Amino acid sequence: MELQKKLEILSDAAKYDVSCSSSGSSGRGDSSGLGNTKASGICHSWTDDGRCVSLLKILFTNYCLYDCQYCVNRVSNDRSRASFTPEEVAQLTVDFYKRNYIEGLFLSSAVNRSPDWTMEQLLTTVQLLRNKHNYQGYIHLKAIPGADFKLIYQAGLLVDRMSVNIELPSEGSLEKLAPQKKKAGILAPMKGIGAGIENNIIERKKYKQKEKFVPAGQSTQLIVGASPESDRQIISLSEGLYDHFNLKRVYYSAYLPVNNSSLLPALPGPPLKREHRLYQADWLLRFYGFKAGELLTPGRENFDLKIDPKADWALNNLDKFPVEVNTADYEMLLRVPGIGPRSAAKIVKARREKKLTHYNLKKMRIVLKRANFFITCNGKYAAAVPFESEVIYSRLAEKEAEQMSLFNSTKSEAKEWDFNLVK
Amino acid sequence: MSSNNYEKKVYIYDGSYQGLMTALYLAFKQREAPIKILSQTDFRDDLFYQTKTIITDIDKAAFFSEQIKNHISVQALNNIFHAYLSETEKLELYIFRYLFMGFKVGEKVDQYLTKNYVRQVQDLAHKVRHESHRLKGLIRLQEAAGGKYYAAVEPDYKTLVLLAPHFKNRFSTMNWIIHDLKREEAVIYSAEDKEWLLIDLEKDFKPELSQKETEVQDLWRAFFSAVSIKNRRNRKVQQQFMPQKYWKHLIERPGSSQNHRLE
Ligand code: SF4
C-alpha cells in the first residue's frame, strides 16, 4: 500500500485520542542531534475543527485482535486497515520534524498479532529514531497492555512520555465492553511505569550519567459516558492514579458514538459539558488540595452541570463561609470560588501590610464577581444578595451561562489548548 | 513660527537598534527632549525644527542598555527591544517617555498603565512577542536541492532575530535560511559554525527544491486533512489561532478536510 494511504488511515484512526495535548519538556536536545523538547509547547497548525496540531499522532497499525465495543478499530468493525513499518514511522517523523510541521511523535497502536509483537514494533521504531536518526525531539509512546514489561521498560528509556489508556473507569465496564483488554491487564504496566519513574528519579540523583526513564511522566485517558460510572467513581479513580501510579495527567474524553453496539448507550451527542466538569474537578485535585471524597459524596454522584465543582462544593459546605479574607489561611482562601493560587497568594502578602477592604482587593485586580458571595472583608459582606444557598446558586448559574455563551465556540476544545491558555 | 521651535530638535538615526539606543543615550546625557526621533528612511525634510544626525556608537548603545537593566529592569529592556521590532510610527518617542519615567520610578514603570506611552510600549512589545511565538509553530521549512532548508515568511513585525535562537536550538544540525520577504532580509544558519547571521536577501530569491520535497509535502497535506473531526468543524477557531495572513506560506491547506473521504 502507498505510504500516503497508510498515513491517512492511521492518522484518522488515532485522532480521537486526546491524551497527548501537550508535549512536556524533558530537557533532551544538546545540539548534537536533531531537535529538542520545549517546555511551553508549540502548536504548528490548527485543524478545520479548531484543534491544535502539535504532534504527528498516528497508530502503528489498526489491525486489531480485540473487540472493544467503543472503538472504531475493533476486529468486528468493517473498515480500511493498514500497518506501518518501524522505518516508515521513523522516517516520516524526521521528515516532518525537519520541516517544522511538528513538535514530535505520538505513537499508539492497536494490538496486532500479539501484545509482545506489537510492543516490539513500537520499541524498534523509537530505537531507530533515537539511534539511527539521532532524533532528539519529543516522543510520546503508548505502552501495550499485556506486553512483556521488559519491552515497555526498554522503550521507556528512549521516550519522553508514556501512557496506557484505561479507557473505562471500572473493572465491570472493562469486562463488559473490552473483555480481552481487561485480561491483558491495564493497571499492571501503569504501576510498573510509575515505579520505574520513581526509581529513576532517585537513581539520577545518585548517578548523574544515568539515562532518563519517561522523563515527561505518564498519562492515561478515560472515556466518559460510554459506561454507567458516576463522576464520583471517575474522580476517585483519578485520585488513586495520581497518588499511587505517579501519573502526570489523566485525560477525559467525552464518548463520541462511533459504533452501533447494543452494549453502548445511545447518546444525543458527546457529553462535552460533563467532560468539562471532570477537567475542572481534576484541576482541583491537582492544584487546590481537594480530595475526591470532598467534591462528591455517596448520594451526590455527579457534578452539577450548571455551576462548577468548586462552587458546588462551597454551596454544599456553606457553614464554612463566608471566609474572612484578613484571617483565613491560604488553603482556605484557595477554596473560595473565584480565587485561584495567584489571588490567594496576593491576598496573603498584601494583608501583612494592612487590613484589606473590598476596594483594596479590586485595586489588586482580584476578580470578585464570584468570590463576593463567599467572603467578608473586615466582617463586611458585600454581595447584594442574602447569604442563602439557593439565591447564590442561581446567581452563579446565571454568570456561568453568560460566560459559556461567550466562549461557546471554543469550550469543547479547551482541553487541548491547555498549554496555550496557561501562560 | 518662532525661534523657540527651532531649538527643538529632531533626532535622526540610521534605523538600527544600536542607532536608536545611541540616540536615546545622547538625549538623556544632554538632558534634551527631542521633538521627534526618526530613522533616516522615515525622515522628510523638516523646515521647522533643527535636525541632529546621530552616529551609531555600539559602545554607547551597550552602556545605555546596561543602565536600563540596572536602573529600571531587564523586563523594561526587553520591552524596548521588542517594541522597536514593531517598526511602528512614533515608537521611538514612546520609548523615550517610557525610559524617562523608568529612570524616575525604577522597575515600577510597568505598573503605570494609566500612562499612554507605558501602555504603548508594552502593547507593541506584546504584539511582537505574540507574533514571534506564533511563527515558531507556523514557519515551514522546505528542503532545497543540496540538502539546505529554506523558509519564506511575511511577518507583520521584524521578528527574525527573535526566531533565530529558537530555530538554532532546534535545528542545530541542519543548514537553513529563514527569509523575510517583506523586509528583504534573512537569517542564515550554518551547522558547521553553529552560528546564525542576519543578511540582506532580495525578495525574488527562491531556491530550487529537492526531489523528495513535494513527496513529503503531499504527505503532510494528507495528514492535515485526515486528522480533522468532520462533525466538529470550527473554522472560526482555526482562523482565530492561525490568521489567514499566514496561510500563504503554509504547506497544508486550511479548509481541505471538507473534501477528505477516507473510504
Ligand atoms: S485494543 Fe481495543 S481499543 Fe485498542 S485498538 Fe483494539 S479494539 Fe480498539
Side-chain angles (χ1 to χ4, degrees), chain A residues 44-45, chain B residues 138 140 220-221 224 242 247 250-254:
Chain A
H44 287 259
S45 192
Chain B
L138 295 179
R140 297 287 178 263
W220 172 243
R221 274 189 286 267
F224 177 79
M242 191 164 72
W247 292 6
L250 291 177
I251 303 301
E252 65 271 29
R253 298 275 163 265

Side-chain angles (χ1 to χ4, degrees), chain B residues 206-245:
Chain B
K206 205 171 188 241
E208 193 190 322
L209 298 181
S210 74
Q211 279 187 326
K212 188 182 169 181
E213 184 57 25
T214 42
E215 215 178 283
V216 178
Q217 293 191 358
D218 284 343
L219 288 169
W220 172 243
R221 274 189 286 267
F223 174 78
F224 177 79
S225 325
V227 291
S228 188
I229 296 175
K230 307 282 142 355
N231 51 12
R232 285 201 194 179
R233 272 176 83 82
N234 196 336
R235 301 293 307 280
K236 235 171 72 192
V237 174
Q238 181 185 40
Q239 283 194 31
Q240 181 190 331
F241 285 94
M242 191 164 72
Q244 234 160 348
K245 63 184 172 202

